[in-house]
Amino acid sequence: MEIARSAARKLALYRQGLDGHRTPSSNTAGVLEVIERLGYVQIDTISVVRRAHHHTFWVRVPNYQMGMLQDLQSQDRQVFEWWASAMSLVPMRDYRYYATRMDPKMVRSWHRNWYAENKDIVADVLDRIRTEGPLTSSDFKSPEGFKRGGWWSWKPAKTALEVLFDMGEVMVAERRNFRRVYDLRERVVPSWVDTSTPTQEEMDHWVIQRALCGLGFAPVDDVRWGRWKGIGAAAESVHQLGETGEVVTFEIEGEPDRTFCALRETLDAVMDAPDRDPELHILCPFDNLVIQRGWLSRYFGFQYKLEAYTPAAKRKYGYYVLPILWGDRFVGRLDAKADRKARTLIVRKLFFEPGFEDCETYLPALVHKLRDLAQFSGCDQVVVETVIPEQAHTSVGCALAAEA
């Protein structure tokens, strides 16, 4: 079977929850539904608009409030933090699979060596948490005479917390003003969680199911998930899941030398679904749909790079540029900043992608979404400074005025 590239994009958007087929509830259950569907949501420190993980949920959960995630993590214990593609929020029900990577043999050798050479510091940190309860790094004083050097030159207790976190001995119980609060693993992982070690077959199947649930489709010979970049028996595991009817294989138009796979439920749902009016989404740079830049370019034809770490003079689009998805097509991008003191969402530059001309139906949806984004960012108004191409500036201004 061969499917069109447009159908492949629909597979991705269906799994990402961006095609309008399902709307999660506006509560913690809706947030959990999103994270379990995506598999992980990446955390990042940049807060130019809102932090990336909150932005990812805002796109998918109606009337999302940041306290929902706080409750889900600190009270309900339905999610935890660890490494996926980067530091991420992941479903607690997947704990046993991530725990295999917390084994001392699997963590970085530098961490193992530091742990072995600083057992007194490690023991002191664990004893204090065990006795005093959840603690932050700031609850530990630096030793007398300690001077911090570069970015990674942490005080010993901070290093111990990071090493213990990677090894799974402590976990993040909650975030306070984005600061990690650490507690012992046994006080964070609920009793209902299966902590048994998965077999290799279980692990292989989980990687495939997680990847296809998050991405929508993947090449049979290159199924990847977070730090599990390539597993030994990918093709064989796909075949096994195919025999049970859970996974189906196919070709994609224009990819003659590769076979792809998807969850059968996903393929059936997309192929049987009626056409929908396009929905507009303003995504963050770390959104699950755009985080794999090569995949994004290949299947959506959208070249994208976060330029926050690029010198200002070399930036093409701006510091913190948000991709704009309309239907199954990326039609623009904008460089935004939330000036919360002035309660204004400032769009320094709004770009229309080359060749995109359907402004009549697009602009009202964009302006409406910009106002929603402003509200989510703690702002009351939107100011667009520059539009590229320049001739579209008047149309954008009129649309903003009409929406006011």
Side-chain angles (χ1 to χ4, degrees), residues 41-72:
V41 171
Q42 185 168 329
I43 301 170
D44 194 80
T45 59
I46 299 177
S47 187
V48 176
V49 179
R50 281 295 187 199
R51 297 197 192 278
H53 47 295
H54 290 305
H55 192 140
T56 298
F57 289 121
W58 168 77
V59 168
R60 295 165 173 84
V61 179
N63 302 312
Y64 170 73
Q65 303 295 319
M66 292 183 287
M68 295 176 184
L69 178 59
Q70 173 76 5
D71 292 345
L72 199 63

CSV table of all heavy atoms in Angstrom, one decimal, residues 41-72:
chain,number,residue,atom,x,y,z
A,41,VAL,N,6.7,15.8,27.0
A,41,VAL,CA,6.6,17.2,26.6
A,41,VAL,C,7.9,17.8,27.1
A,41,VAL,O,8.2,17.7,28.3
A,41,VAL,CB,5.4,17.9,27.2
A,41,VAL,CG1,5.5,19.4,27.1
A,41,VAL,CG2,4.1,17.4,26.6
A,42,GLN,N,8.7,18.4,26.2
A,42,GLN,CA,10.0,18.9,26.6
A,42,GLN,C,9.9,20.2,27.5
A,42,GLN,O,9.0,21.1,27.3
A,42,GLN,CB,10.8,19.3,25.3
A,42,GLN,CG,12.2,19.7,25.6
A,42,GLN,CD,13.1,19.7,24.4
A,42,GLN,OE1,12.8,18.9,23.4
A,42,GLN,NE2,14.1,20.6,24.3
A,43,ILE,N,10.8,20.3,28.4
A,43,ILE,CA,10.9,21.4,29.3
A,43,ILE,C,12.1,22.3,28.9
A,43,ILE,O,13.1,21.8,28.5
A,43,ILE,CB,11.2,21.0,30.8
A,43,ILE,CG1,10.1,20.0,31.3
A,43,ILE,CG2,11.4,22.1,31.7
A,43,ILE,CD1,10.4,19.3,32.6
A,44,ASP,N,11.9,23.6,28.9
A,44,ASP,CA,13.0,24.5,28.6
A,44,ASP,C,12.9,25.7,29.5
A,44,ASP,O,11.8,26.1,29.9
A,44,ASP,CB,13.0,24.9,27.1
A,44,ASP,CG,14.3,25.5,26.7
A,44,ASP,OD1,15.3,24.8,26.4
A,44,ASP,OD2,14.4,26.8,26.6
A,45,THR,N,14.1,26.3,29.7
A,45,THR,CA,14.1,27.5,30.6
A,45,THR,C,13.7,28.8,30.0
A,45,THR,O,13.3,29.7,30.7
A,45,THR,CB,15.6,27.7,31.1
A,45,THR,OG1,16.4,27.9,30.0
A,45,THR,CG2,16.1,26.4,31.9
A,46,ILE,N,13.7,28.9,28.7
A,46,ILE,CA,13.4,30.2,28.0
A,46,ILE,C,11.9,30.5,28.3
A,46,ILE,O,11.0,29.7,28.1
A,46,ILE,CB,13.6,30.1,26.5
A,46,ILE,CG1,15.1,29.8,26.2
A,46,ILE,CG2,13.2,31.4,25.8
A,46,ILE,CD1,15.4,29.7,24.8
A,47,SER,N,11.7,31.8,28.7
A,47,SER,CA,10.3,32.2,29.1
A,47,SER,C,10.0,33.5,28.4
A,47,SER,O,9.5,34.5,29.0
A,47,SER,CB,10.2,32.3,30.6
A,47,SER,OG,8.8,32.6,30.9
A,48,VAL,N,10.3,33.6,27.1
A,48,VAL,CA,10.1,34.9,26.4
A,48,VAL,C,8.6,35.1,26.2
A,48,VAL,O,8.1,36.2,26.3
A,48,VAL,CB,10.8,34.8,25.0
A,48,VAL,CG1,10.5,36.1,24.2
A,48,VAL,CG2,12.3,34.7,25.2
A,49,VAL,N,7.9,34.0,25.9
A,49,VAL,CA,6.4,34.1,25.8
A,49,VAL,C,5.9,33.4,27.0
A,49,VAL,O,5.4,34.0,28.0
A,49,VAL,CB,5.9,33.5,24.5
A,49,VAL,CG1,4.4,33.5,24.4
A,49,VAL,CG2,6.5,34.3,23.3
A,50,ARG,N,5.9,32.1,27.0
A,50,ARG,CA,5.7,31.2,28.2
A,50,ARG,C,6.7,30.1,28.1
A,50,ARG,O,7.1,29.8,27.0
A,50,ARG,CB,4.3,30.7,28.3
A,50,ARG,CG,3.2,31.7,28.8
A,50,ARG,CD,3.4,32.0,30.3
A,50,ARG,NE,2.3,32.8,30.8
A,50,ARG,CZ,2.4,33.5,31.9
A,50,ARG,NH1,3.5,33.6,32.5
A,50,ARG,NH2,1.3,34.2,32.3
A,51,ARG,N,7.0,29.4,29.2
A,51,ARG,CA,7.9,28.3,29.1
A,51,ARG,C,7.3,27.2,28.1
A,51,ARG,O,6.1,27.0,28.0
A,51,ARG,CB,8.1,27.7,30.5
A,51,ARG,CG,8.8,28.7,31.4
A,51,ARG,CD,9.5,28.0,32.6
A,51,ARG,NE,9.9,28.9,33.6
A,51,ARG,CZ,11.0,29.6,33.6
A,51,ARG,NH1,11.9,29.5,32.6
A,51,ARG,NH2,11.3,30.5,34.5
A,52,ALA,N,8.2,26.5,27.5
A,52,ALA,CA,7.9,25.7,26.4
A,52,ALA,C,6.8,24.6,26.7
A,52,ALA,O,5.9,24.4,26.0
A,52,ALA,CB,9.1,25.0,25.8
A,53,HIS,N,7.0,24.0,27.9
A,53,HIS,CA,6.0,22.9,28.2
A,53,HIS,C,4.6,23.4,28.4
A,53,HIS,O,3.6,22.8,28.0
A,53,HIS,CB,6.5,22.1,29.5
A,53,HIS,CG,6.9,23.0,30.6
A,53,HIS,ND1,8.0,23.8,30.6
A,53,HIS,CD2,6.4,23.1,31.9
A,53,HIS,CE1,8.2,24.4,31.7
A,53,HIS,NE2,7.2,24.0,32.5
A,54,HIS,N,4.5,24.6,29.0
A,54,HIS,CA,3.2,25.2,29.2
A,54,HIS,C,2.6,25.6,27.8
A,54,HIS,O,1.4,25.4,27.6
A,54,HIS,CB,3.2,26.4,30.1
A,54,HIS,CG,3.5,26.1,31.5
A,54,HIS,ND1,2.8,25.3,32.3
A,54,HIS,CD2,4.5,26.6,32.4
A,54,HIS,CE1,3.2,25.2,33.5
A,54,HIS,NE2,4.3,25.9,33.6
A,55,HIS,N,3.4,26.1,26.9
A,55,HIS,CA,3.0,26.4,25.6
A,55,HIS,C,2.4,25.2,24.8
A,55,HIS,O,1.4,25.3,24.2
A,55,HIS,CB,4.1,27.1,24.8
A,55,HIS,CG,3.7,27.8,23.6
A,55,HIS,ND1,4.2,29.0,23.1
A,55,HIS,CD2,2.8,27.4,22.6
A,55,HIS,CE1,3.7,29.3,22.0
A,55,HIS,NE2,2.8,28.4,21.6
A,56,THR,N,3.2,24.1,25.0
A,56,THR,CA,2.8,22.9,24.3
A,56,THR,C,1.4,22.4,24.8
A,56,THR,O,0.5,22.0,24.0
A,56,THR,CB,3.8,21.8,24.5
A,56,THR,OG1,5.0,22.2,23.9
A,56,THR,CG2,3.4,20.5,23.8
A,57,PHE,N,1.1,22.5,26.1
A,57,PHE,CA,-0.2,22.1,26.6
A,57,PHE,C,-1.2,23.2,26.2
A,57,PHE,O,-2.4,22.8,25.8
A,57,PHE,CB,-0.1,22.0,28.1
A,57,PHE,CG,0.6,20.8,28.6
A,57,PHE,CD1,1.7,21.0,29.4
A,57,PHE,CD2,0.3,19.5,28.2
A,57,PHE,CE1,2.4,19.9,29.9
A,57,PHE,CE2,1.0,18.4,28.6
A,57,PHE,CZ,2.0,18.6,29.5
A,58,TRP,N,-0.9,24.4,26.2
A,58,TRP,CA,-1.9,25.5,25.8
A,58,TRP,C,-2.4,25.3,24.4
A,58,TRP,O,-3.6,25.5,24.1
A,58,TRP,CB,-1.2,26.9,25.9
A,58,TRP,CG,-2.0,28.0,25.3
A,58,TRP,CD1,-3.1,28.6,25.8
A,58,TRP,CD2,-1.8,28.6,24.0
A,58,TRP,NE1,-3.6,29.5,25.0
A,58,TRP,CE2,-2.8,29.6,23.8
A,58,TRP,CE3,-0.8,28.4,23.0
A,58,TRP,CZ2,-2.9,30.3,22.7
A,58,TRP,CZ3,-0.9,29.2,21.9
A,58,TRP,CH2,-1.9,30.1,21.7
A,59,VAL,N,-1.5,24.8,23.5
A,59,VAL,CA,-1.9,24.6,22.1
A,59,VAL,C,-3.0,23.5,22.0
A,59,VAL,O,-3.9,23.6,21.2
A,59,VAL,CB,-0.7,24.2,21.3
A,59,VAL,CG1,-1.2,23.7,19.9
A,59,VAL,CG2,0.2,25.4,21.1
A,60,ARG,N,-3.0,22.6,22.9
A,60,ARG,CA,-3.8,21.4,22.8
A,60,ARG,C,-5.0,21.3,23.8
A,60,ARG,O,-5.9,20.6,23.6
A,60,ARG,CB,-3.0,20.1,22.9
A,60,ARG,CG,-2.0,20.0,21.8
A,60,ARG,CD,-0.9,19.0,22.1
A,60,ARG,NE,0.0,18.7,20.9
A,60,ARG,CZ,1.0,19.5,20.6
A,60,ARG,NH1,1.3,20.6,21.3
A,60,ARG,NH2,1.8,19.2,19.5
A,61,VAL,N,-4.9,21.9,24.9
A,61,VAL,CA,-5.9,21.8,26.0
A,61,VAL,C,-6.6,23.1,26.1
A,61,VAL,O,-6.1,24.2,26.4
A,61,VAL,CB,-5.2,21.5,27.4
A,61,VAL,CG1,-6.3,21.4,28.5
A,61,VAL,CG2,-4.4,20.2,27.3
A,62,PRO,N,-7.9,23.1,25.9
A,62,PRO,CA,-8.7,24.4,25.9
A,62,PRO,C,-8.6,25.0,27.3
A,62,PRO,O,-8.7,24.3,28.3
A,62,PRO,CB,-10.2,23.9,25.6
A,62,PRO,CG,-10.0,22.6,24.9
A,62,PRO,CD,-8.8,22.0,25.5
A,63,ASN,N,-8.4,26.3,27.3
A,63,ASN,CA,-8.4,27.1,28.6
A,63,ASN,C,-7.4,26.5,29.6
A,63,ASN,O,-7.6,26.5,30.8
A,63,ASN,CB,-9.8,27.1,29.3
A,63,ASN,CG,-10.9,27.7,28.4
A,63,ASN,OD1,-10.7,28.7,27.8
A,63,ASN,ND2,-12.0,26.9,28.2
A,64,TYR,N,-6.2,26.1,29.0
A,64,TYR,CA,-5.2,25.5,29.9
A,64,TYR,C,-4.7,26.5,30.9
A,64,TYR,O,-4.5,27.7,30.6
A,64,TYR,CB,-4.0,25.1,29.0
A,64,TYR,CG,-2.8,24.7,29.8
A,64,TYR,CD1,-2.7,23.5,30.5
A,64,TYR,CD2,-1.7,25.5,29.8
A,64,TYR,CE1,-1.6,23.2,31.2
A,64,TYR,CE2,-0.5,25.2,30.6
A,64,TYR,CZ,-0.5,24.0,31.3
A,64,TYR,OH,0.6,23.7,32.0
A,65,GLN,N,-4.5,26.1,32.1
A,65,GLN,CA,-4.0,26.9,33.2
A,65,GLN,C,-2.7,26.2,33.7
A,65,GLN,O,-2.8,25.0,33.9
A,65,GLN,CB,-5.0,27.1,34.3
A,65,GLN,CG,-6.3,27.7,33.9
A,65,GLN,CD,-6.2,29.1,33.4
A,65,GLN,OE1,-5.4,29.9,34.0
A,65,GLN,NE2,-6.9,29.4,32.3
A,66,MET,N,-1.7,26.9,34.0
A,66,MET,CA,-0.4,26.3,34.4
A,66,MET,C,-0.5,25.5,35.7
A,66,MET,O,0.2,24.6,35.9
A,66,MET,CB,0.7,27.4,34.5
A,66,MET,CG,1.0,28.0,33.2
A,66,MET,SD,2.4,29.2,33.2
A,66,MET,CE,1.5,30.6,34.0
A,67,GLY,N,-1.5,25.9,36.6
A,67,GLY,CA,-1.7,25.1,37.8
A,67,GLY,C,-2.1,23.7,37.6
A,67,GLY,O,-1.9,22.8,38.4
A,68,MET,N,-2.7,23.4,36.4
A,68,MET,CA,-3.1,22.1,36.1
A,68,MET,C,-1.9,21.1,36.1
A,68,MET,O,-2.0,20.0,36.6
A,68,MET,CB,-3.8,22.0,34.7
A,68,MET,CG,-5.1,22.8,34.6
A,68,MET,SD,-5.8,22.7,32.9
A,68,MET,CE,-7.2,23.8,33.1
A,69,LEU,N,-0.8,21.6,35.5
A,69,LEU,CA,0.4,20.7,35.4
A,69,LEU,C,1.0,20.6,36.8
A,69,LEU,O,1.4,19.5,37.2
A,69,LEU,CB,1.4,21.3,34.4
A,69,LEU,CG,2.7,20.6,34.3
A,69,LEU,CD1,2.5,19.1,33.8
A,69,LEU,CD2,3.7,21.3,33.4
A,70,GLN,N,1.0,21.6,37.6
A,70,GLN,CA,1.5,21.6,38.9
A,70,GLN,C,0.7,20.5,39.7
A,70,GLN,O,1.3,19.7,40.4
A,70,GLN,CB,1.3,22.9,39.6
A,70,GLN,CG,1.7,23.0,41.1
A,70,GLN,CD,3.2,23.0,41.4
A,70,GLN,OE1,4.0,23.0,40.4
A,70,GLN,NE2,3.5,22.9,42.6
A,71,ASP,N,-0.6,20.5,39.6
A,71,ASP,CA,-1.4,19.5,40.4
A,71,ASP,C,-1.1,18.1,39.8
A,71,ASP,O,-1.0,17.1,40.6
A,71,ASP,CB,-2.9,19.8,40.2
A,71,ASP,CG,-3.3,21.1,40.9
A,71,ASP,OD1,-2.5,21.6,41.8
A,71,ASP,OD2,-4.4,21.6,40.6
A,72,LEU,N,-1.0,18.0,38.5
A,72,LEU,CA,-0.8,16.6,37.9
A,72,LEU,C,0.6,16.0,38.4
A,72,LEU,O,0.7,14.8,38.6
A,72,LEU,CB,-0.8,16.8,36.4
A,72,LEU,CG,-1.0,15.5,35.6
A,72,LEU,CD1,-2.4,14.9,35.9
A,72,LEU,CD2,-0.8,15.8,34.1
